[in-house]
Amino acid sequence: MNLYLQDIPASELAPKAVQGTPAPAQDPLIARGLQKEQYAGIIGLAIALIAAVGFFSRRVEYAIAFALFLSVFLIALFIFV
């Protein structure tokens, strides 16, 4: 089988290297600077949950509070040691 092969000249429009699109300076879908409010809301929600459970059972409230304290202590221990 005889195939006709021809050299195709490189186009000036062909990229010499892979080019990516630049990232936008400000993405409106990413919330920046709201971490403090989020942490305060999460802590407030946890306190409300413990108080609501404590309203029904004092033992369960103490168990949840102890588990939270122990978790925070162990996380801090593993991060800083």
Side-chain angles (χ1 to χ4, degrees), residues 7 9 14 27 33-35 43 47-48 55 57-58 76 79 81:
D7 288 336
D27 190 355
L34 294 177
Q35 286 185 344
I43 290 171
I47 291 171
F55 180 72
S57 173
R58 191 62 75 182
I79 287 176
V81 173

Side-chain angles (χ1 to χ4, degrees), residues 28-81:
L29 298 178
I30 298 176
R32 301 191 190 279
L34 294 177
Q35 286 185 344
K36 292 178 184 176
E37 291 85 356
Q38 289 172 348
Y39 288 139
I42 291 170
I43 290 171
L45 189 62
I47 291 171
L49 178 68
I50 291 172
V53 169
F55 180 72
F56 295 109
S57 173
R58 191 62 75 182
R59 280 184 176 172
V60 176
E61 179 185 10
Y62 291 148
I64 291 173
F66 178 72
L68 276 171
F69 174 74
L70 186 63
S71 297
V72 169
F73 176 74
L74 288 175
I75 289 170
L77 181 71
F78 288 130
I79 287 176
F80 295 115
V81 173

